[in-house]
Amino acid sequence: MTLLTTAVPRQEPCPEPRPGPLRSPLRALWRALASDRFPAALAAATVLLVCLPTGGDQDVTAAVHVTPADVVSVGLVGACALRAAAALRRGRSRLLPLPAALLFGGVVLAVAAATAASQDPSQSLSGFVRAVQVFVLVPLAVLLSLRERRDLRLLLAALIAAALVEGSVGVDQYLTGTGASYDGGTVRAVGTFGAQDIMAMSAVVSYGLIAALGLALEARAARRTRAAAGFGLAALLLVVPLALSFSRGSWIATGCAVGLALLLTDVRLLLRGAVFGLAAAVVLVGGLGLGGDSVVARLSTIASVTGGAPDHSVSDRYDLWATAGAIWRQHPATGVGPKEFPQFRDAHAPLRLSSGSDTAGAGAGFSREPLLSPHNMYLLVLSEQGLIGLTAFAALFLGLLTALLRRALRLRAAGAPDGLGAALLGLLVWQLVDFLYADIGGPATVLVSFVLGLAAFGAFGAVEGSVPGAGAGAGAGAGAL
């Protein structure tokens, strides 16, 4: 009996439709935007864009100054907002650590109250937007963009790269006499920021120095000798442009930040670093004469407000502090409103206060810039936002500082000090000390937001996503890094 079978023809699988010429790149772009690494990469790009020159002559009295870094930081906020919306659609009930939401939310409410009670609410509106951008939105975006230690390393590496770029330009300005005007010459290192933003380069270099120190400490603890040596060398190199910036506030803030970071991680390294730093200063300043007379003279003027020839920049700063206090005493609760200090300055300032600050050099002509702030962030907040605003900002700063200190002390007691945590604490300490001598303003202002965002990540961590190394029973602060 023959079994007859019918052959079934083999069916070829249907080819998938090929994407059109535009769908494939758009799909790839969407995958990149939805990637976990995209926000951290965008944050690093924002840091690097701070180095782009914005022009030598700018009108410092303009209400709004928009830089490329500001534009990209807004993009970072938008990207994190889209990711947050997607997370809410997936059923997540909370995106931010509760302490972070409360602290940053308090700043929003305080600035809003000061704006509503302002002597000129329309003028203060731009100040409200700027304050919320710098102290709330961008820091929270940085917090949400960080998910693990490699994201944190990426941002710290971006700070180091920006510092090396600015430091190289600053050293060249000193050596070639093309910097900002200082003591009868054009030798002050200001990097790509120009003579109107003489504090910006020193801030960027300080951030990079502290970041390099933190990465060096982490590599040293992991016995990665080459990486530790490389980051340590970067930190040492950045000392030179920091000295040539002739910024007394940055010197003091950097000393406090580096000293505290080393004290909490390796006391013996702190002592060896102090001895080595003193020896290097003797060689560079005493032996090679690298800015020696100018640096020593600058240090001696920190408290010289009396005598036959007081330093006018110091006396003007103290007069501005007194002016801010006088303004606050007339408007104690909510202040005079954001951006309103210049309008009330002359009515409360001592007669000896200068009408402005002379600037020249670094590609710009001579100009006399008005004194638009008290050059003290805490007194600026007090005069423009009153006790309500100062309380909200103090709660934010002290909340971040306390959480970082508790974490660092806990790890040190356990015999496992963390270099990255020390870097975040150092950056925050630098900012808080520098706020005693400066306030926000200029193209490097967006980096203040990054310092606060990094500090918030170290203090509280992010709710969404997992962070390697976090213990199952650890709190948010303990497991953030």
Side-chain angles (χ1 to χ4, degrees):
M1 179 176 179
T2 304
L3 182 62
L4 299 178
T5 59
T6 303
V8 178
R10 182 180 179 184
Q11 295 182 353
E12 297 292 337
C14 296
E16 295 184 0
R18 294 184 178 180
L22 292 178
R23 290 181 61 188
S24 181
L26 290 177
R27 184 177 299 176
L29 177 61
W30 173 251
R31 284 198 299 266
L33 294 176
S35 168
D36 289 343
R37 303 301 304 278
F38 174 73
L42 189 59
T46 305
V47 172
L48 296 176
L49 284 174
V50 170
C51 298
L52 284 181
T54 56
D57 294 307
Q58 293 185 2
D59 182 10
V60 298
T61 63
V64 179
H65 294 280
V66 180
T67 67
D70 288 324
V71 174
V72 179
S73 71
V74 173
L76 175 64
V77 172
C80 290
L82 291 176
R83 291 167 62 87
L88 289 175
R89 286 198 301 269
R90 293 196 301 267
R92 296 193 64 89
S93 60
R94 186 161 60 96
L95 301 174
L96 289 173
L98 182 59
L102 293 176
L103 292 175
F104 286 101
V107 172
V108 175
L109 294 177
V111 180
T115 303
S118 171
Q119 306 299 303
D120 186 356
S122 61
Q123 172 72 17
S124 296
L125 185 60
S126 64
F128 169 81
V129 173
R130 184 61 165 167
V132 171
Q133 175 205 0
V134 173
F135 292 103
V136 180
L137 293 181
V138 178
L140 290 180
V142 173
L143 169 62
L144 292 176
S145 68
L146 297 173
R147 291 173 174 265
E148 51 192 24
R149 291 178 75 92
R150 63 176 181 175
D151 295 333
L152 179 57
R153 293 191 194 100
L154 177 63
L155 259 65
L156 293 179
L159 287 174
I160 298 171
L164 290 173
V165 170
E166 292 297 336
S168 300
V169 176
V171 171
D172 179 74
Q173 289 171 336
Y174 174 81
L175 294 176
T176 58
T178 56
S181 176
Y182 175 78
D183 197 22
T186 53
V187 296
R188 187 169 191 174
V190 292
T192 62
F193 300 108
Q196 295 178 342
D197 293 295
I198 56 175
M199 297 288 293
M201 189 213 74
S202 65
V204 175
V205 169
S206 300
Y207 294 146
L209 190 156
I210 298 168
L213 176 63
L215 289 173
L217 291 172
E218 184 203 30
R220 183 171 180 265
R223 300 186 183 279
R224 292 186 284 116
T225 307
R226 292 185 179 180
F231 288 122
L233 178 61
L236 289 176
L237 290 176
L238 290 173
V239 172
V240 177
L242 178 61
L244 298 180
S245 69
F246 303 123
S247 174
R248 295 162 295 198
S250 295
W251 295 345
I252 296 172
T254 303
C256 294
V258 171
L260 181 60
L262 291 177
L263 182 64
L264 293 174
T265 53
D266 194 329
V267 177
R268 288 180 297 179
L269 183 61
L270 171 61
L271 296 176
R272 290 198 299 266
V275 173
F276 179 80
L278 180 61
V282 171
V283 173
L284 293 176
V285 176
L288 301 180
L290 186 60
D293 295 338
S294 299
V295 170
V296 172
R298 193 67 168 168
L299 284 172
S300 66
T301 61
I302 291 178
S304 60
V305 293
T306 60
D311 187 288
H312 286 292
S313 64
V314 177
S315 61
D316 282 346
R317 183 164 300 181
Y318 290 167
D319 287 341
L320 287 169
W321 292 359
T323 301
I327 293 174
W328 166 72
R329 283 191 289 271
Q330 288 193 354
H331 307 271
T334 57
V336 294
K339 293 280 189 179
E340 287 295 288
F341 177 85
Q343 307 301 322
F344 289 79
R345 179 199 60 205
D346 293 341
H348 298 83
L351 294 177
R352 67 174 183 175
L353 178 66
S354 300
S355 60
S357 176
D358 297 339
T359 64
F366 174 84
S367 63
R368 191 165 184 81
E369 306 300 336
L371 303 174
L372 302 178
S373 74
H375 293 285
N376 180 304
M377 189 65 206
Y378 308 109
L379 290 177
L380 177 64
V381 171
L382 184 65
S383 62
E384 293 189 341
Q385 301 178 36
L387 284 177
I388 295 177
L390 185 62
T391 301
F393 277 88
L396 173 62
F397 297 154
L398 293 178
L400 295 176
L401 181 63
T402 302
L404 286 174
L405 274 174
R406 290 179 60 187
R407 181 183 182 277
L409 292 173
R410 184 165 54 247
L411 291 176
R412 186 174 184 271
D418 181 30
L420 295 187
L424 301 189
L425 177 60
L427 287 171
L428 180 62
V429 168
W430 187 96
Q431 195 62 70
L432 297 184
V433 174
D434 185 71
F435 274 163
L436 293 170
Y437 307 95
D439 46 56
I440 62 173
T445 297
V446 70
L447 295 184
V448 176
S449 307
F450 277 75
V451 169
L452 295 177
L454 290 170
F457 177 74
F460 308 121
V463 171
E464 186 181 5
S466 59
V467 180
L481 296 180

